[in-house]
Amino acid sequence: TGVCCCCSALRPRYKRLVDNIFPEDPKDGLVKADMEKLTFYAVSAPEKLDRIGSYLAERLSRDVVRHRSGYVLIAMEALDQLLMACHSQSIKPFVESFLHMVAKLLESGEPKLQVLGTNSFVKFANIEEDTPSYHRRYDFFVSRFSAMCHSCHSDPEIRTEIRIAGIRGIQGVVRKTVNDELQATIWEPQHMDKIVPSLLFNMQKIEDIDSRIGPPSSPSTADKEENPSVLAENCFRELLGRATFGNMNNAVRPVFAHLDHHKLWDPNEFAVHCFKIIMYSIQAQYSHHVIQEILGHLDARKKDSPRVRAGIIQVLLEAVAIAAKGSIGPTVLEVFNTLLKHLRLSVEFEANDLHEGSLSSVSINTGSKDNDEKIVQNAIIQTIGFFGSNLPDYQRSEIMMFIMGKVPVFGTSTHTLDISQLGDLGTRRIQIMLLRSLLMVTSGYKAKTIVTALPGSFLDPLLSPSLMEDYELRQLVLEVMHNLMDRHDNRAKLRGIRIIPDVADLKIKREKICRQDTSFMKKNGQQLYRHIYLGCKEEDNVQKNYELLYTSLALITIELANEEVVIDLIRLAIALQDSAVINEDNLPMFHRCGIMALVAAYLNFVSQMIAVPAFCQHVSKVIEIRTIEAPYFLPEHIFRDKCMLPKSLEKHGKNLYFLTNKIAESLGGSGYGVERLSVPYVPQVTDEDRLSRRKSIVDTVSIQVDILPNNVPSDDISNTEEITFEALKKTIDTNVMEEQEKEKRRLVIEKFQKAPFEEIAAQCESKANLLHDRLAQILELTIRPPPSPSGTLTITSGHAQYQSVPVYEMKFPDLCVY
C-alpha cells in the first residue's frame, strides 16, 4: 500500500481493515479472511459504517481515475457484502457513500464499469431498509440508466449489454422507490418522461409483436437476461402494476408522446401491443383513466391524417375490449360522445375532400383521402359496436337513445349533432354512419318486452319519413328494428325472401304474446304498418329492401301478433298487392312484381303460422297458378338475374291474386273476426309528411270511389274510378308552398297557446261547418251516378270509410279532409 509499518500502526483501525482486503495483485481477488474481519468490525461498531464507506469511496474514485479496474471490482464486491450484512439505522450514511461510488462507475466511459455499477445498484435495490429515507433522491440514476437504454455503441454485443444494464437499473429504481411513500417524486413527469420512452424504445425492437387478445405471457428468466426488449416489457408491466390512482396518468402520457414522435400510429401494431400491456397491467378500477387519456389524445390529433386517427381509434377499441370486462366507470357516455363527434368530423372532412376534388382537375389524392376517411369511419363504428355490445342492458338502452338523438332528422331539431357544415350529401352520410353504429349497439340486445326495446321516444325518430329518402337508410332502419324485435333468434331462419314449403321445418321459437306487447301494438302498430307499406313503394328499392321488409312482417307475426294483429297484417299485404296492380306511384315493373312476390312469400308464411287449412289452401293454390302462368310474381324468379318481366298487369286473371273474400271466408270459419278485412288499409298521414322533402304521402293516398254493380265480385279491382287528392286540392285551392305551411302551423300553435278557449272553440266550429259544406258541394259536382240504380258507392280516405251505401241516399255528415 506504499506506507511504512510505523505509519500503518498509527492509522485508524477501520482504514487498516479496509486496506487489508486489497491484495497486492488484483487478479487474486478479494482477501476473504480480511473481508470477514471487516464485516465483523462493521457489525460490531455500526457507527463506523459511514467512515468505512467514505474511505472505500475515496479508494474507488482514485482507482477509477487511474483505470485500475481490478481494484475497482474488489471495492464494489466489498461494498456489496457490507450492504448485505449490515441493516442497522447507521447504514444510511454508508448508503450515501455507496450510491456515490455507483454514480462514479456509471459516469465512467468503460462499459464494464457501467455494468458493474448497475449490478451493485440492483443488489442494493433488492434490500428492504428498516427505516425510510427522507432526503435521498435518485434523479441522477434515472437519467443515467435511461441514457444507457439508448446506447449506440458500435459493438452490437456491448450495445446490448449496456442497454440491458440500463433497463435493469430502471427496474431497480422503480422497485426501490414505488413502495416508499416518501419517494413519490419518481412518478413526476420529468422522471416518467425519461423512464417510459426508454422502455418503449427497447420494446420496439421486438421482432414478432404480440397481437393476441389475451394478456401478454410472462417471459422466462433466460429471456429477461438476454433480450432487452423482453426485459423492457417486463419492467414496463411492473411499473404500471405499481401505479396508483394519483400517478396513473403520468405513466401513460409519455406513451402517447413516444408513439407520436416515432410515428407509430400508422401502422399501429406496436401501439396496440403497448396498450394491451397497459390495460392488462394496471389495476382494473383504473381502466377508465387510460380510456380517457386515449380519448383526449384523439381530440388533440383530430386534424392529423385519417390513418393516424384510425390507428388511435383502433387502440381505443383494444382498450375498450379489455376494460369492458371490468370497471369502465363514468366514461361510457364520454366514449360515445367523443366517437360520434369524430365520426361527424370524418364525414365533414370527406365531404370537403369530395367538394375540393370536384373543383380540382387532379382527383387521385382526393380518392385516397376519401378511402382513408372510410377507414376512420369503419374503425369508429366497430369501436362503438364492440363497446355497446359489452355493456349491460340498462346502459345499452341509454346508449341507443343517445345515438338516436344524434341522428339528423329533417324538420326537427331534436338531434344534438352539428351538421351545419355537412350539406345534403354529408348529412345523408352521417345518417348512414350513425345508423350503422346503432345497428352494432343493438346487436344481441334482448329485451323482455318490446316496449323496453322500442319506446316511443326511440321509435318515432327511427321511423321518421326523412330516414326513408334513401334505400340504404331504410335497410339500416329495418335491420335495427330486427335486432330489437327478434328476441328468440329466429331472424337467421327467415333470411332471404322465398316461398317456404313447410314453415314447421324452420322450428320457429315463440312465446305467448304478453299484455305489454299487445298494448305496444295497439299504440304503435299503425306506425309499423305505415313504415312497411311506404317502404315497399319506394322507387330505389333493391332486392335487399324487399328481403328486409319480408323479415319485418315475419318477425312482427312471430313476436307481436295476436288475432287482431294478424288481421291487420293481412290487410296490409292485400293493400300492397292492390297498390302494385293499380300503380298510383308509377313504379317500374320490377318493383311492382317485387311487391307481388313479397306479398306471396308473407301470406304463405302467415297462413302456415296460424295453421288455418282453408287459408293455406287458398294461398297454395294462388302460388301454384303463379308458378305456371306468372312466375315473376314469386320471389324465387323475380329476384333472379335475367327474369322476364310482363309488359303490363291489366290482362292477368283474378286467380293470380290473393282475394279478400276468400281469405275472409277461410278465417271466419276458424273463429277469426274478419269484419275489418272488408276495410281497405290506408296508411296514416303524419305531420312530418307535410314537412318532409320527400313527396308527401298525402299526394299518393287517393280517395277511391269504387262503383261496383251487384253482379261483380268485390275482389275484381278493374272497375275502379278514382278521385285523387290532387284533384281535390286544385278544386278547393289549397295548394300552398312548404314555407307557408310551416308559418301557418306556427301561427296556429301560437294561437292555441295564447287565445281564450271560447274563441278557439267557436272558430274551429265555424271552419268545420264551412269545410263540410264545400266538400259536400264538390262531391256532388264530381261524382257521377252509378250505372244502375242498384249500384253502390265506396269512398275511402285516411279518416273515414263509406262502403256499400246507396248513392242516392248517401250523406256526408262527418267526412273531413285534413
Side-chain angles (χ1 to χ4, degrees):
T1 58
V3 293
C4 64
C5 297
C6 296
C7 293
S8 176
L10 296 175
R11 302 182 71 206
R13 185 181 180 189
Y14 72 89
K15 287 188 177 182
R16 286 185 277 123
L17 290 174
V18 170
D19 291 338
N20 291 338
I21 66 174
F22 291 93
E24 293 185 5
D25 186 356
K27 295 181 180 179
D28 295 337
L30 182 70
V31 180
K32 295 183 179 179
D34 290 324
M35 186 65 214
E36 291 178 359
K37 295 179 182 178
L38 177 62
T39 303
F40 180 78
Y41 177 76
V43 172
S44 303
E47 68 277 2
K48 301 292 185 178
L49 268 174
D50 58 334
R51 298 182 183 181
I52 296 174
S54 299
Y55 185 61
L56 274 171
E58 180 183 342
R59 287 198 55 138
L60 183 136
S61 299
R62 184 170 62 248
D63 292 334
V64 169
V65 172
R66 296 176 180 178
H67 300 286
R68 300 167 66 177
S69 300
Y71 288 119
V72 172
L73 294 174
I74 294 173
M76 291 308 300
E77 184 179 355
L79 283 169
D80 293 341
Q81 291 190 24
L82 288 174
L83 275 174
M84 300 298 294
C86 303
H87 294 285
S88 66
Q89 294 183 359
S90 302
I91 201 173
K92 298 302 178 185
F94 176 77
V95 169
E96 296 301 324
S97 299
F98 167 79
L99 293 177
H100 177 69
M101 287 184 280
V102 170
K104 284 288 184 181
L105 294 178
L106 295 178
E107 287 178 333
S108 69
E110 298 185 21
K112 290 184 179 179
L113 296 184
Q114 292 177 348
V115 174
L116 176 64
T118 301
N119 292 337
S120 295
F121 183 85
V122 171
K123 293 178 183 178
F124 162 71
N126 292 326
I127 297 175
E128 294 185 5
E129 299 182 55
D130 296 334
T131 57
S133 174
Y134 291 91
H135 60 281
R136 190 185 306 155
R137 296 182 65 87
Y138 297 93
D139 299 10
F140 167 80
F141 295 99
V142 170
S143 299
R144 192 59 197 159
F145 289 136
S146 299
M148 292 170 63
C149 290
H150 292 83
S151 173
C152 297
H153 198 281
S154 57
D155 188 340
E157 292 185 2
I158 295 177
R159 181 171 63 242
T160 300
E161 188 177 10
I162 295 175
R163 288 185 179 181
I164 289 177
I167 297 168
R168 294 180 66 239
I170 289 178
Q171 193 173 33
V173 173
V174 171
R175 290 178 178 175
K176 195 64 179 175
T177 56
V178 292
N179 291 328
D180 189 350
E181 294 181 358
L182 298 175
Q183 293 294 334
T185 54
I186 193 65
W187 294 104
E188 292 179 355
Q190 63 264 31
H191 299 314
M192 287 292 108
D193 290 344
K194 297 174 183 177
I195 292 175
V196 174
S198 301
L199 298 176
L200 295 179
F201 175 77
N202 286 274
M203 288 169 56
Q204 197 175 335
K205 303 302 179 181
I206 297 178
E207 295 180 359
D208 184 17
I209 294 179
D210 187 3
S211 59
R212 298 166 305 185
I213 296 178
S217 58
S218 298
S220 63
T221 304
D223 289 337
K224 292 180 186 178
E225 298 296 334
E226 298 175 0
N227 193 335
S229 59
V230 177
L231 180 62
E233 181 178 319
N234 183 64
C235 182
F236 188 50
R237 289 201 306 267
E238 183 176 348
L239 173 68
L240 294 167
R242 297 173 182 269
T244 60
F245 179 84
N247 49 47
M248 171 61 63
N249 294 341
N250 290 341
V252 174
R253 286 171 185 165
V255 178
F256 294 105
H258 180 83
L259 297 175
D260 290 342
H261 179 71
H262 293 276
K263 300 180 180 180
L264 296 175
W265 295 112
D266 177 33
N268 69 337
E269 288 82 1
F270 180 71
V272 171
H273 178 66
C274 287
F275 277 91
K276 281 184 178 180
I277 293 175
I278 293 172
M279 296 303 294
Y280 280 114
S281 299
I282 63 175
Q283 300 180 47
Q285 64 267 29
Y286 303 149
S287 297
H288 63 279
H289 278 285
V290 180
I291 295 176
Q292 285 176 328
E293 289 296 321
I294 299 174
L295 292 173
H297 195 68
L298 181 60
D299 285 337
R301 304 298 298 271
K302 64 182 178 181
K303 294 184 179 180
D304 279 28
S305 67
R307 290 189 175 272
V308 169
R309 287 181 280 127
I312 298 174
I313 294 168
Q314 181 66 30
V315 167
L316 177 64
L317 172 61
E318 298 293 342
V320 162
I322 300 170
K325 300 174 184 177
S327 171
I328 50 179
T331 59
V332 176
L333 283 179
E334 183 181 355
V335 170
F336 285 99
N337 193 42
T338 302
L339 288 174
L340 292 178
K341 180 178 66 176
H342 284 275
L343 184 61
R344 180 192 62 79
L345 285 173
S346 178
V347 173
E348 184 177 336
F349 292 153
E350 183 182 17
N352 292 337
D353 290 339
L354 290 174
H355 178 67
E356 293 173 1
S358 63
L359 298 178
S360 174
S361 59
V362 180
S363 60
I364 298 176
N365 294 333
T366 301
S368 177
K369 289 181 181 179
D370 181 34
N371 293 332
D372 289 346
E373 288 298 343
K374 285 183 171 56
I375 294 174
V376 175
Q377 295 160 12
N378 291 333
I380 292 174
I381 292 172
Q382 186 180 9
T383 305
I384 288 175
F386 192 92
F387 198 5
S389 62
N390 281 278
L391 293 175
D393 287 345
Y394 74 92
Q395 277 188 326
R396 201 191 301 198
S397 61
E398 292 177 359
I399 296 304
M400 287 160 46
M401 296 292 296
F402 181 75
I403 296 176
M404 196 66 233
K406 299 283 186 179
V407 178
V409 176
F410 180 76
T412 66
S413 59
T414 56
H415 59 87
T416 57
L417 206 63
D418 182 16
I419 59 171
S420 57
Q421 305 297 325
L422 295 180
D424 289 345
L425 183 61
T427 300
R428 174 189 170 276
R429 184 72 178 160
I430 197 67
Q431 287 175 328
I432 291 175
M433 293 294 104
L434 289 173
L435 288 176
R436 285 180 58 192
S437 304
L438 187 61
L439 181 64
M440 295 284 287
V441 173
T442 57
S443 179
Y445 179 63
K446 296 291 188 298
K448 293 183 179 179
T449 61
I450 196 66
V451 71
T452 304
L454 287 170
S457 55
F458 180 83
L459 184 64
D460 292 342
L462 182 65
L463 301 184
S464 168
S466 65
L467 295 183
M468 297 186 68
E469 297 175 358
D470 180 83
Y471 76 96
E472 191 173 357
L473 288 173
R474 296 195 299 275
Q475 291 175 6
L476 291 169
V477 168
L478 291 173
E479 288 178 320
V480 169
M481 289 202 329
H482 296 171
N483 280 346
L484 299 175
M485 282 185 183
D486 185 22
R487 293 170 288 177
H488 298 90
D489 298 321
N490 293 310
R491 184 174 34 168
K493 305 171 185 176
L494 303 169
R495 185 167 295 138
I497 180 171
R498 64 194 189 280
I499 303 296
I500 304 174
D502 189 358
V503 174
D505 293 340
L506 300 181
K507 297 181 180 179
I508 299 292
K509 298 179 182 178
R510 63 184 306 190
E511 297 178 4
K512 185 178 179 181
I513 309 301
C514 65
R515 184 175 60 184
Q516 291 90 338
D517 290 349
T518 302
S519 176
F520 172 85
M521 286 305 293
K522 287 182 178 180
K523 182 178 180 180
N524 302 294
Q526 293 301 322
Q527 195 175 4
L528 295 176
Y529 306 150
R530 173 184 182 277
H531 187 81
I532 295 173
Y533 180 83
L534 297 181
C536 289
K537 298 172 66 176
E538 294 289 346
E539 294 184 3
D540 59 343
N541 277 342
V542 295
Q543 178 180 346
K544 185 177 180 181
N545 290 87
Y546 292 113
E547 292 177 351
L548 294 173
L549 289 163
Y550 162 75
T551 304
S552 299
L553 290 168
L555 287 176
I556 293 175
T557 305
I558 295 170
E559 298 286 349
L560 302 169
N562 53 18
E563 291 187 5
E564 183 179 349
V565 173
V566 167
I567 296 298
D568 285 338
L569 291 171
I570 294 174
R571 286 177 61 217
L572 173 60
I574 297 300
L576 287 171
Q577 176 182 258
D578 293 347
S579 70
V581 175
I582 299 173
N583 197 23
E584 291 179 340
D585 299 286
N586 296 319
L587 293 174
M589 185 57 67
F590 171 78
H591 294 75
R592 297 171 69 184
C593 292
I595 294 174
M596 299 291 282
L598 184 150
V599 172
Y602 174 66
L603 289 179
N604 172 71
F605 176 82
V606 72
S607 64
Q608 296 186 54
M609 286 295 293
I610 64 177
V612 175
F615 186 21
C616 293
Q617 185 178 2
H618 172 63
V619 173
S620 300
K621 183 178 179 181
V622 173
I623 292 174
E624 183 180 350
I625 296 173
R626 286 186 178 186
T627 304
I628 300 172
E629 300 182 11
Y632 39 78
F633 282 173
L634 298 175
E636 290 83 356
H637 295 271
I638 186 61
F639 298 125
R640 187 181 60 188
D641 293 339
K642 299 181 181 179
C643 176
M644 295 296 294
L645 298 175
K647 295 182 180 180
S648 65
L649 305 183
E650 284 72 15
K651 297 181 180 180
H652 290 80
K654 66 179 182 180
N655 58 348
L656 290 175
Y657 302 110
F658 301 100
L659 305 179
T660 304
N661 63 339
K662 294 285 188 182
I663 296 175
E665 182 180 349
S666 62
L667 295 179
S670 298
Y672 281 81
V674 295
E675 295 80 7
R676 294 170 60 246
L677 278 177
S678 59
V679 181
Y681 170 77
V682 177
Q684 292 179 340
V685 181
T686 66
D687 292 337
E688 192 176 353
D689 289 317
R690 299 184 176 90
L691 298 178
S692 177
R693 289 174 289 185
R694 299 173 64 251
K695 183 181 178 183
S696 175
I697 180 180
V698 180
D699 300 335
T700 64
V701 177
S702 63
I703 300 179
Q704 298 180 357
V705 182
D706 300 340
I707 303 177
L708 305 174
N710 288 339
N711 58 348
V712 179
S714 60
D715 299 287
D716 190 350
I717 58 177
S718 61
N719 296 327
T720 302
E721 294 188 13
E722 297 181 356
I723 299 176
T724 64
F725 191 81
E726 185 65 28
L728 288 178
K729 288 204 299 180
K730 289 180 180 179
T731 306
I732 61 178
D733 193 22
T734 59
N735 185 18
V736 292
M737 300 300 291
E738 181 179 324
E739 293 299 327
Q740 294 174 339
E741 179 71 17
K742 290 182 180 179
E743 180 64 17
K744 182 179 177 181
R745 287 171 55 79
R746 188 188 67 79
L747 294 174
V748 169
I749 292 173
E750 183 178 352
K751 183 172 183 178
F752 270 81
Q753 290 176 340
K754 298 179 180 180
F757 175 76
E758 293 79 6
E759 179 183 343
I760 295 173
Q763 186 170 3
C764 289
E765 183 179 1
S766 64
K767 286 188 176 182
N769 292 335
L770 178 60
L771 182 59
H772 179 278
D773 295 340
R774 294 188 66 183
L775 183 58
Q777 182 181 5
I778 292 167
L779 292 173
E780 288 176 3
L781 293 175
T782 58
I783 298 178
R784 295 178 296 174
S788 66
S790 60
T792 59
L793 178 66
T794 300
I795 295 179
T796 303
S797 74
H799 300 275
Q801 292 85 24
Y802 296 89
Q803 291 190 315
S804 302
V805 181
V807 68
Y808 296 113
E809 300 178 7
M810 183 170 153
K811 297 181 180 178
F812 305 88
D814 57 356
L815 179 62
C816 297
V817 178
Y818 292 88

